[in-house]
Amino acid sequence: MSTVRIGGASGFWGDSATATPQLLKVPGIQYLVYDYLAETTMSILARARNKDPELGYATDFVHAAMAPHLRALLERGIRVVANAGGLNPLACRDALAQAAARQGLTPRIAVVSGDDILPLLPGLRESGIADLPSAPYSANVYTGARGIAQALAQGAQIVIAGRCVDSAMALGVAAHEHGWAWDDWDRLAAGTLAGHVIECGAQATGGLYTDWQAVPGWDNMGYPVIDCAADGSFVLSKPAGTGGLVAAGCVAEQVLYEIGDPASYLMPDVACDFRHVRVVQLDADRVSVCGARGRPPTSTYKANATWRDGYQLATMLAIRGPQARAKADKTAAALLDRTGRMLREHGLADYRETCVEMLGCEALYGPHARPLPTREVILRIVVRHESAAGLGFLQRECASAGTSMGPGTRSSFQGRSDIQPVVRVHSFLLPKAQVREQVLLEDLVTPVPPPSAEAPSGQPLPARDAPETRQEEDWPAQDDGPLAVVALQALAWARSGDKGDTENIGVIARRPEFLPLIRRQLGAKQVQAYFAHLARGPVERFDVPGLHAVNFVLHEALGGGGMSSLRSDPLGKSYAQMLLDHPMHVPPRWIELGWLAPP
């Protein structure tokens, strides 16, 4: 079966510059795909473009990923697809073309545009779409893979897109190489899964793995390579001689990363069903993935609009010595009381929001924190105000803690903290018919055909079978004799991810025999109670039988999420780690058989 070999060279803006050179050494590599965008990144790009109209794209793509390696890429015929264009793909193209010209190179660079819907916002507001910002920084829809595939078919060597979905780069490559029809739902779902697995770079090859102790060579982490077959199945590996780990458990974690209902993972090109995906360890260097199913997509795109909503200041102080936590508590109260009084004296409103965290005291664990004495605390104080001037008092006054408050206080790490504008995100749905994508390649501008009128993308999705609708059983399991208590980590792998203010935690049983017990003891109610100090909304649980897994979705769990959150973990990266400490009651014979992972 013919395959296309794709390297995942970036998982976010700021990823390692080592990815491109190591992937260039992979025999037979045909494509490199680079994912740079997230909701938080778009907020940063919006702020940058607001300062300088020539910015708003991922500059690392031009200067770190492409310029040093452009000649090698072109000589070997390796093609590149990236969403580095962000809010300004034309500026990204021009900067790359200039970098190439300085080397005497003229690559064929295509831009896929149409995701920028900022000009549409006034009309959308008049049409009744609620809560659209009156003075937006940016507005974009999450487009799919069609424009990318079209650009490749037109001969582009490098394709730069704006806010397409993260998986679209790999799906566009696979659809182009294998000639998939845009109503071949199962293959489109499989290609989406391939893109989803490699879109976060080394997360698929050992990064963030629950069993991190087993992952060697962090200094030279290998980035993922997939060989995607014509039926959409793929084999994942990494460059020879690199660090990292190719493990079924790690890939399964990535399959569930940042998804909600695994039966309805809604993408622009296809509605995916990942419940019966299978991940199989072929050997020490390869994992195979297959089993995604697809249905027609919805008739709408997800859209995000960003706007400035006040200002914030985050400051940190190091406090050491006996009773460090108590000194930090008193310091935080004193600084907030003092600066609150100053605001009133100057006729300014009080802080809109405040957040105090004691890093080093398991601040995010809430009631699950272990009361261990510590002699070193990082006091983190974050405040928000309508005006930048309202934050100037704390920006200045926190320095006084170094001489007038608790002993052992260092009041500054790198001078005064910066006051930053707060960029918020509003998400909404926009009919696909209102979006006009196009490919710009040299002097040629060609429209991207919208979803076929014959495809039932505007009709309700077909009813799905629901093996996951079983009632949760009472726990603990009915076993003979007393049960032993272990942490969930002994039974499962887990990874967490964010979508706005929603968090998901995928929990994968290490052995199929463990899944019934995990289901009995770890229901939505248990997880909601465990995270009650962080999650304000409901918790849902979905079954993923192909992976012997469950996926939890926690709503209103991130304090607003992204740049809207004051928390030290606004993306919820630590939630899975916290859940892995959840106590589980297991039959003692599992311990005797050596089935459980060591702590």
Side-chain angles (χ1 to χ4, degrees):
M1 188 182 300
S2 63
T3 61
V4 55
R5 178 163 286 184
I6 307 169
S10 175
F12 64 100
W13 187 15
D15 207 345
S16 174
T18 65
T20 300
Q22 68 169 232
L23 289 168
L24 283 174
K25 297 177 183 177
V26 175
I29 197 81
Q30 296 166 266
Y31 289 86
L32 296 184
V33 296
Y34 295 79
D35 175 30
Y36 286 97
L37 303 182
E39 290 179 354
T40 299
T41 313
M42 295 296 280
S43 299
I44 295 170
L45 293 175
R47 197 164 63 193
R49 188 179 65 172
N50 191 59
K51 292 180 180 179
D52 184 347
E54 295 302 314
L55 296 178
Y57 64 91
T59 53
D60 284 4
F61 172 67
V62 175
H63 304 299
M66 290 290 98
H69 310 290
L70 197 51
R71 187 175 300 278
L73 287 164
L74 297 177
E75 288 177 351
R76 293 180 53 188
I78 299 170
R79 303 169 84 178
V80 171
V81 181
N83 59 9
L87 298 177
N88 205 345
L90 291 177
C92 184
R93 178 202 63 184
D94 293 345
L96 180 57
Q98 292 167 12
R102 288 192 288 270
Q103 301 179 49
L105 303 173
T106 56
R108 302 194 74 204
I109 307 172
V111 168
V112 181
S113 65
D115 62 292
D116 186 350
I117 58 166
L118 189 61
L120 301 182
L121 249 59
L124 296 176
R125 197 178 296 110
E126 293 176 3
S127 70
I129 295 182
D131 300 322
L132 292 177
S134 58
Y137 270 167
S138 65
N140 297 76
V141 293
Y142 286 68
T143 56
R146 293 174 182 239
I148 292 169
Q150 181 171 314
L152 293 172
Q154 291 175 207
Q157 295 167 294
I158 300 172
V159 180
I160 297 173
R163 178 64 278 197
C164 61
V165 293
D166 301 347
S167 57
M169 279 83 74
L171 174 57
V173 169
H176 163 67
E177 286 287 335
H178 294 308
W180 291 342
W182 292 104
D183 59 357
D184 192 341
W185 309 122
D186 285 348
R187 285 182 172 82
L188 295 179
T192 297
L193 177 60
H196 176 68
V197 166
I198 67 170
E199 71 190 29
C200 293
Q203 279 188 199
T205 47
L208 305 191
Y209 188 28
T210 299
D211 295 346
W212 57 270
Q213 303 96 325
V215 182
W218 288 11
D219 63 307
N220 187 31
M221 287 290 287
Y223 278 70
V225 176
I226 58 170
D227 291 289
C228 184
D231 64 357
S233 63
F234 62 94
V235 173
L236 181 139
S237 60
K238 64 181 182 66
T242 60
L245 184 70
V246 177
C250 186
V251 175
E253 287 183 2
Q254 184 60 26
V255 170
L256 295 182
Y257 180 65
E258 292 187 340
I259 69 171
D261 182 352
S264 289
Y265 185 52
L266 303 180
M267 291 285 104
D269 298 304
V270 61
C272 304
D273 183 346
F274 291 163
R275 288 172 300 169
H276 305 291
V277 168
R278 297 183 302 281
V279 176
V280 178
Q281 191 83 42
L282 298 178
D283 53 41
D285 301 315
R286 299 180 305 149
V287 166
S288 71
V289 183
C290 64
R293 301 294 302 273
R295 304 188 304 276
T298 66
S299 60
T300 56
Y301 287 120
K302 176 184 175 181
N304 281 344
T306 66
W307 78 101
R308 193 182 72 190
D309 186 24
Y311 297 84
Q312 75 177 33
L313 172 74
T315 186
M316 293 195 295
L317 299 83
I319 300 177
R320 298 180 175 90
Q323 297 181 296
R325 171 63 191 267
K327 288 186 290 187
D329 285 331
K330 191 169 182 177
T331 300
L335 287 172
L336 290 176
D337 288 346
R338 179 189 295 181
T339 55
R341 185 175 67 248
M342 290 177 168
L343 287 169
R344 293 189 296 273
E345 290 171 350
H346 285 77
L348 297 174
D350 200 358
Y351 294 122
R352 198 167 68 186
E353 295 179 73
T354 66
C355 175
V356 174
E357 293 182 313
M358 304 296 173
L359 305 182
C361 296
E362 304 192 0
L364 209 62
Y365 282 79
H368 311 298
R370 294 169 181 165
L372 298 176
T374 180
R375 293 174 295 175
E376 185 174 75
V377 173
I378 302 298
L379 167 60
R380 180 175 182 268
I381 305 174
V382 192
V383 291
R384 282 210 178 127
H385 201 272
E386 297 297 332
S387 69
L391 299 177
F393 302 108
L394 180 62
Q395 184 188 43
R396 181 183 63 251
E397 290 297 320
C398 65
S400 70
T403 56
S404 64
M405 296 185 185
T409 297
R410 181 182 180 184
S411 57
S412 173
F413 284 90
Q414 294 179 328
R416 288 186 178 181
S417 300
D418 291 334
I419 296 172
Q420 301 283 354
V422 176
V423 180
R424 290 193 182 271
V425 178
H426 172 65
S427 299
F428 59 99
L429 297 177
L430 184 68
K432 290 177 178 174
Q434 298 190 37
V435 175
R436 296 288 182 267
E437 276 193 277
Q438 58 185 13
V439 174
L440 294 79
L441 178 59
E442 297 171 343
D443 295 329
L444 182 65
V445 178
T446 56
V448 177
S452 171
E454 299 177 0
S457 59
Q459 300 177 8
L461 297 179
R464 54 186 168 91
D465 57 332
E468 68 276 27
T469 57
R470 299 167 292 185
Q471 295 293 318
E472 295 175 7
E473 300 89 342
D474 293 333
W475 66 279
Q478 300 301 310
D479 281 278
D480 295 333
L483 298 176
V485 179
V486 300
L488 174 63
Q489 186 167 347
L491 305 176
W493 301 290
R495 183 174 296 171
S496 49
D498 69 300
K499 287 294 182 186
D501 199 19
T502 299
E503 176 77 357
N504 91 288
I505 308 174
V507 177
I508 304 109
R510 293 176 181 270
R511 299 175 64 98
E513 296 92 337
F514 295 166
L515 183 60
L517 183 143
I518 292 172
R519 290 194 76 261
R520 284 194 294 268
Q521 298 188 26
L522 204 63
K525 292 181 180 178
Q526 283 76 33
V527 172
Q528 187 168 31
Y530 196 75
F531 288 102
H533 62 294
L534 296 174
R536 307 303 179 207
V539 174
E540 300 175 278
R541 188 185 75 180
F542 301 96
D543 282 341
V544 195
L547 297 177
H548 309 296
V550 289
N551 190 49
F552 294 96
V553 178
L554 292 68
H555 298 273
E556 298 176 50
L558 296 169
M563 296 189 73
S564 297
S565 176
L566 299 184
R567 295 179 186 171
S568 56
D569 185 15
L571 306 181
K573 299 292 187 182
S574 60
Y575 281 45
Q577 289 293 297
M578 290 190 283
L579 186 60
L580 286 169
D581 271 333
H582 193 287
M584 306 294 288
H585 297 73
V586 303
R589 66 176 180 275
W590 289 3
I591 300 175
E592 296 166 3
L593 290 169
W595 284 3
L596 305 186

